[in-house]
Amino acid sequence: MKSTLVAGLGQSLTYTIPVEKTVPHVYRESELFRAMPPVFATAYLVGLIEWACMELLQPHLEPGEQSLGTAIAVTHTAATPVNLSVNVEVLVERVDARRIAFRVKAHDDLDVIGEGTHERFVIDRERFLKRVAEKAQKAQQAVKR
């Protein structure tokens, strides 16, 4: 991670909500989800927040580094219909070695729709993928027993 990543950095990301990002599309195999109103889903709000934070981090990462979300505490207080835009504002609150804490806020064209905190951890992609493969192999061996 580069030394340019410091508390106080911020940016925003704007996204127009398509029907595919509404609640009925979260788990298509669930009748309960399919029966929900077609408004921006909390699950996709979380993903949009992660996206905004990843975009902020990207120029501050070294080759081979990525970040993973490790914590999120966000409200989702207003419904957003299809075709409205959502703007997510993210601010680096703290950099603690490889752990980065963000303050986040989202609003659509009319209302604040959510706010809270998000935390990401910077990883070495190859090392991480190796550990994941080892875990998958252990799980596969456990099933065979």
Side-chain angles (χ1 to χ4, degrees):
M1 207 168 55
K2 298 175 184 173
S3 61
T4 55
L5 181 61
V6 295
L9 291 176
Q11 74 177 48
S12 64
L13 176 68
T14 300
Y15 183 78
T16 301
I17 306 306
V19 70
E20 296 81 15
K21 298 298 188 237
T22 61
V23 180
H25 294 271
V26 173
Y27 280 100
R28 298 288 304 157
E29 62 271 32
S30 167
E31 177 59 37
L32 295 171
F33 272 110
R34 288 194 314 267
M36 295 295 289
V39 295
F40 188 43
T42 303
Y44 293 119
L45 174 61
V46 168
L48 189 60
I49 289 167
E50 288 198 276
W51 182 7
C53 292
M54 287 188 293
E55 289 287 344
L56 185 148
L57 287 175
Q58 192 59 37
H60 306 283
L61 299 179
E62 298 289 352
E65 290 182 328
Q66 290 181 310
S67 67
L68 299 174
T70 55
I72 191 155
V74 176
T75 61
H76 191 180
T77 54
T80 302
V82 171
N83 294 325
L84 265 64
S85 292
V86 171
N87 182 271
V88 176
E89 300 167 356
V90 300
L91 177 72
V92 175
E93 284 196 315
R94 188 175 64 260
V95 178
D96 183 16
R98 295 180 151 298
R99 191 171 311 280
I100 297 90
F102 297 88
R103 168 79 35 207
V104 300
K105 187 175 187 177
H107 55 86
D108 62 24
D109 296 330
L110 301 173
D111 298 309
V112 171
I113 67 165
E115 55 190 315
T117 59
H118 178 45
E119 185 177 276
R120 300 191 70 75
F121 193 84
V122 175
I123 60 158
D124 176 280
R125 178 181 164 75
E126 292 305 316
R127 192 174 345 162
F128 182 83
L129 289 176
K130 182 180 177 192
R131 282 193 297 236
V132 170
E134 290 168 356
K135 184 175 182 176
Q137 185 176 22
K138 285 179 186 177
Q140 193 173 41
Q141 290 170 351
V143 169
K144 289 180 182 178
R145 290 182 200 159

